């Protein structure tokens, strides 16, 4: 099931779940919530009477997934929302298109490049130079690659899937 993240937000219970999810920060980028990151695919009340939450990891082998699931359960439990069913949604794969505007802004302020230029080039999140050099397949986490800007010499990470 794929639906716009907030399409089912009319029910008060579902809205409360969204509010709790907005307090769960990404373990690797603690400035953005998992909602801003766009990894919450759906929240819905199902026929079994339980709320189902679908989460797409930013990278299929992401070791942070377990941590995120635990944090979600804690946040929901803190709001008196027990018995929520967490589903991992691997398809379609997460892309930076799913970032909220606010999430995008926060990531760039944090020094993580999220946009490619129209020509498909990665640009430095600080000075927008396209003269960048890939230093490592792995950045601060396995989900990211590490680059350095040849113009301003700043190192930065990018999401691998952009
Ligand atoms: Zn730069």
């Amino acid at each position: 099931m794929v639906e716009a993240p907030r399409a089912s937000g009319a029910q008060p219970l579902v809205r409360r779940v969204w509010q709790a999810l907005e307090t769960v920060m990404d373990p690797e980028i603690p400035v953005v919530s998992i909602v801003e990151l766009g990894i919450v695919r759906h929240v819905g009340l199902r026929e079994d009477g339980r709320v189902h939450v679908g989460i797409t990891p930013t990278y299929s082998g992401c070791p942070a997934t377990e941590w995120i699931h635990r944090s979600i359960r804690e946040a929901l439990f803190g709001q008196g929302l027990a018995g929520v069913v967490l589903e991992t949604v691997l398809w379609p794969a997460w892309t930076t298109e799913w970032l909220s505007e606010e999430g995008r802004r926060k990531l760039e302020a944090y020094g993580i490049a999220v946009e490619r230029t129209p020509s498909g080039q990665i640009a430095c999140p600080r000075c927008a130079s396209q003269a960048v050099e890939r230093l490592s397949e792995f950045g601060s986490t396995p989900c990211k690659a590490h680059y350095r800007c040849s113009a301003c010499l700043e190192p930065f990470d990018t999401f691998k899937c952009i």
Side-chain angles (χ1 to χ4, degrees):
M1 180 176 106
V2 180
E3 63 186 41
R6 284 163 192 284
S8 54
Q11 297 157 288
L13 181 61
V14 169
R15 216 163 35 229
R16 276 174 62 210
V17 171
W18 275 110
Q19 280 164 1
L21 293 173
E22 278 163 10
T23 69
V24 178
M25 294 294 137
D26 180 81
E28 296 169 349
I29 316 157
V31 294
V32 289
S33 76
I34 59 170
V35 174
E36 290 168 331
L37 204 53
I39 66 170
V40 181
R41 295 322 299 152
H42 59 254
V43 175
L45 189 61
R46 296 291 166 79
E47 286 165 2
D48 61 8
R50 301 172 80 180
V51 173
H52 288 235
V53 176
I55 304 290
T56 297
T58 51
Y59 176 66
S60 60
C62 195
T65 306
E66 271 310 303
W67 195 95
I68 289 174
H69 279 202
R70 203 162 57 236
S71 302
I72 290 171
R73 287 188 194 285
E74 281 168 11
L76 294 173
F77 192 76
Q79 294 299 312
L81 300 158
V84 171
V85 179
L86 295 185
E87 296 162 349
T88 300
V89 184
L90 292 177
W91 185 263
W94 180 85
T95 89
T96 52
E97 307 259 296
W98 296 358
L99 283 164
S100 72
E101 278 309 309
E102 184 68 2
R104 206 169 275 267
R105 199 187 56 72
K106 287 180 179 175
L107 283 179
E108 285 186 339
Y110 196 65
I112 295 175
V114 293
E115 304 282 12
R116 280 181 190 273
T117 64
S119 60
Q121 255 289 322
I122 287 169
C124 170
R126 290 183 179 80
C127 73
S129 167
Q130 291 176 34
V132 297
E133 178 189 3
R134 189 180 182 124
L135 297 181
S136 162
E137 180 71 18
F138 295 102
S140 56
T141 71
C143 316
K144 302 176 196 75
H146 198 53
Y147 282 78
R148 185 172 57 205
C149 174
S150 305
C152 72
L153 303 179
E154 282 288 334
F156 65 94
D157 282 352
T158 65
F159 279 107
K160 271 188 185 162
C161 46
I162 67 168

